[in-house]
């Protein structure tokens, strides 16, 4: 069993925050295992993570590492061979040339580079984000009503034009919250519904329809019982959304710039009117998320 594990990941720009969020979940779970120490590897501090001070962050993998995990999507063979001089390497959701040079491969998402019948795909090991799981833990067993029509994720630091685009997708007479990192924009939210007191998970648990690009938040919204509609920044993201129809994405509206906003409003209205949405219990959702988290941890610790 590996005892010292270095986890290489990144965030911001091209990477967004999903890679770091899920690796923080894994890091925390690994550190809960007796005799195991895991560290995040990056030259920056992940101050967007809840309780970020609890994570050890190193600019380089520890020289005594027993295993190096790399979650950054696009490795080169040269990088993987270099890392293997320190320790065996596990790559996660890698689509780069270095995938074939790694000691171990794990896919948590559908991987277009792997083709059909991907033996490295482990749906049972999916990793939800650290902040999502942390916010679920704070909510307990209270039954929550789904009283938000639409929740949308525009991305951290979204520009005014992006917020305006998402506002344009809200059907007439419906309410919505648009999340842009910690900033929230609202449309027609009733006075009695206080979003200020809600954390991220509670917003998803109370929402009926969720709209975002393909990524971590779509999976979190699905787990919370939302109908999911994807609006993607690139054809690559749209292709990934097409690979999980029904199980994660109900409707892939396609790539932004090619979208009919009036048509999307119609799709949202159809989802709201055709689906029966159930109340949610945070503790039950947390149990499902942790089941997959610990399955992933156990898989990592079984690598030899």
């Amino acid at each position: 069993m590996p005892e010292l594990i270095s986890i290489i990941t990144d965030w911001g720009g091209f990477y967004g925050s999903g890679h770091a969020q899920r690796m923080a979940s894994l890091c925390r779970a690994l550190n809960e295992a007796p005799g195991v120490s895991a560290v995040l590897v990056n030259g920056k501090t992940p101050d967007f993570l809840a309780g970020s001070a609890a994570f050890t962050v190193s600019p380089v993998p520890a020289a005594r590492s027993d295993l190096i995990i790399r979650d950054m999507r696009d490795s080169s063979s040269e990088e993987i061979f270099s890392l293997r001089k320190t320790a065996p390497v596990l790559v996660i959701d890698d689509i780069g040339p270095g995938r074939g040079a790694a000691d171990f491969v794990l896919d948590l998402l559908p991987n277009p580079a792997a083709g059909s019948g991907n033996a490295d795909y482990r749906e049972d090991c999916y990793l939800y984000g650290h902040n999502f799981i942390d916010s679920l833990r704070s909510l307990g067993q209270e039954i929550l009503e789904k009283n938000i029509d639409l929740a949308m994720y525009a991305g951290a630091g979204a520009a005014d034009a992006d917020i305006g685009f998402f506002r344009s997708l809200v059907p007439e007479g419906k309410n919505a919250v648009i999340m842009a990192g910690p900033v929230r924009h609202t449309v027609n939210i009733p006075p009695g519904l206080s979003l200020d007191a809600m954390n991220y998970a509670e917003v998803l648990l109370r929402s009926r329809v969720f709209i975002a690009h393909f990524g971590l938040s779509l999976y979190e919204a699905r787990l919370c019982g939302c109908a999911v509609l994807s609006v993607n920044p690139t054809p690559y993201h749209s292709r990934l959304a097409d690979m999980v129809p029904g199980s994660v994405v109900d409707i892939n509206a396609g790539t932004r710039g090619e979208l009919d906003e009036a048509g999307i409003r119609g799709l949202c209205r159809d989802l709201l009117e055709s689906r029966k949405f159930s109340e949610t219990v945070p503790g039950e959702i947390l149990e499902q998320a942790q089941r997959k988290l610990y399955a992933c941890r156990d898989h990592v610790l079984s690598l030899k």
Side-chain angles (χ1 to χ4, degrees):
M1 180 181 77
E3 296 180 354
L4 178 56
I5 302 173
S6 295
I7 303 174
I8 302 172
T9 191
D10 204 357
W11 54 89
F14 174 74
Y15 292 105
S17 63
H19 293 274
Q21 285 283 356
R22 67 183 189 173
M23 288 302 102
S25 287
L26 179 58
C27 185
R28 178 174 176 171
L30 286 167
N31 282 322
E32 292 172 355
V36 177
S37 177
V39 300
L40 297 175
V41 177
N42 197 286
K44 302 172 289 189
T45 300
D47 51 11
F48 57 91
L49 294 175
S52 59
F55 291 94
T56 300
V57 183
S58 170
V60 295
R64 297 180 293 104
S65 296
D66 299 303
L67 178 70
I68 296 173
I69 300 173
R70 185 189 185 280
D71 177 20
M72 287 173 59
R73 188 186 302 158
D74 51 356
S75 69
S76 67
S77 298
E78 292 77 12
E79 179 186 3
I80 300 302
F81 283 129
S82 177
L83 292 172
R84 289 181 65 189
K85 294 177 182 177
T86 299
V89 176
L90 164 66
V91 294
I92 297 181
D93 289 323
D94 200 302
I95 60 173
R99 177 185 177 96
D103 298 276
F104 309 105
V105 177
L106 174 61
D107 287 330
L108 306 177
L109 299 172
N111 193 327
S116 60
N118 180 6
D120 298 312
Y121 180 44
R122 291 286 302 271
E123 191 174 3
D124 62 312
C125 288
Y126 189 79
L127 292 172
Y128 297 94
H130 168 75
N131 286 2
F132 173 68
I133 291 178
D134 192 70
S135 57
L136 280 173
R137 285 180 171 136
S138 72
L139 294 175
Q141 297 294 330
E142 179 186 0
I143 297 174
L144 301 179
E145 178 187 356
K146 281 198 168 287
N147 48 13
I148 299 173
D149 291 327
L150 295 101
M152 307 175 179
Y153 185 67
D160 290 344
D162 297 313
I163 303 303
F165 168 75
F166 281 97
R167 283 184 183 276
S168 75
L169 304 183
V170 181
E172 184 178 356
K174 302 301 182 182
N175 66 61
V177 56
I178 303 166
M179 296 178 282
V183 179
R184 294 174 183 173
H185 306 265
T186 62
V187 180
N188 300 328
I189 293 294
L193 189 60
S194 176
L195 289 171
D196 292 338
M198 294 183 196
N199 63 29
Y200 169 65
E202 185 172 355
V203 171
L204 295 185
L205 289 162
R206 290 186 178 275
S207 296
R208 297 183 176 99
V209 173
F210 183 76
I211 304 176
H213 66 272
F214 182 87
L216 185 66
S217 62
L218 292 190
Y219 283 77
E220 292 167 347
R222 170 61 85 193
L223 186 65
C224 290
C226 300
V228 172
L229 189 152
S230 68
V231 173
N232 298 291
T234 68
Y236 171 74
H237 289 85
S238 189
R239 183 180 176 192
L240 290 176
D242 282 335
M243 295 179 74
V244 285
S247 61
V248 179
V249 177
D250 291 291
I251 298 173
N252 176 19
T255 304
R256 206 163 144 189
E258 303 173 356
L259 302 177
D260 172 12
E261 295 172 16
I264 296 177
R265 287 194 295 273
L267 293 172
C268 290
R269 186 174 294 280
D270 289 344
L271 286 172
L272 288 167
E273 294 177 354
S274 65
R275 297 293 181 91
K276 180 176 175 57
F277 296 95
S278 302
E279 296 172 327
T280 54
V281 180
E284 294 176 358
I285 305 302
L286 174 61
E287 183 179 347
Q288 294 177 55
Q290 289 183 322
R291 188 181 305 125
K292 292 195 173 187
L293 168 62
Y294 293 128
C296 188
R297 179 192 68 182
D298 293 346
H299 173 72
V300 168
L301 293 179
S302 72
L303 299 176
K304 297 178 181 179

